[in-house]
């Protein structure tokens, strides 16, 4: 699985083989959000410098921009 750490070090974003990305609290290990929308394995994850959004790439030939506050997909590219 792929991992990106937030700029402030409080959470991580992982790319998963189940077509999702997951946001994790690094202190507790709790899954905070599941980002769903890809139709194939997530192969790359990145978090914006301000920690408010993320970009994921997938074998489904799309990239998705996400709001990390809401878990909403903002754009499909």
């Amino acid at each position: 699985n792929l991992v990106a750490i937030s700029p402030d070090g409080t959470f991580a974003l992982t790319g998963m083989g189940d077509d999702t990305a997951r946001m994790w609290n690094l202190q507790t290990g709790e899954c905070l959000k599941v980002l769903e929308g890809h139709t194939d394995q997530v192969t790359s994850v990145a978090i914006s410098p301000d920690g408010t959004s993320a970009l994921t790439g997938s074998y489904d030939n799309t990239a998705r921009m996400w709001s990390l506050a809401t878990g909403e997909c903002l754009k499909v590219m």
Side-chain angles (χ1 to χ4, degrees):
N1 294 336
L2 303 162
V3 178
I5 305 297
S6 65
D8 65 4
T10 61
F11 67 90
L13 188 67
T14 59
M16 307 297 287
D18 65 357
D19 310 344
T20 68
R22 294 175 191 257
M23 186 174 162
W24 303 91
N25 179 310
L26 289 176
Q27 292 289 352
T28 66
E30 176 188 7
C31 181
L32 302 172
K33 289 189 176 56
V34 179
L35 308 179
E36 298 179 288
H38 284 293
T39 59
D40 204 341
Q41 180 178 349
V42 174
T43 57
S44 57
V45 295
I47 299 171
S48 64
D50 64 6
T52 63
S53 60
L55 189 66
T56 57
S58 168
Y59 281 139
D60 66 10
N61 294 316
T62 66
R64 291 176 179 261
M65 184 180 299
W66 305 89
S67 164
L68 292 178
T70 65
E72 175 187 6
C73 180
L74 303 173
K75 186 171 189 174
V76 179
M77 298 160 272

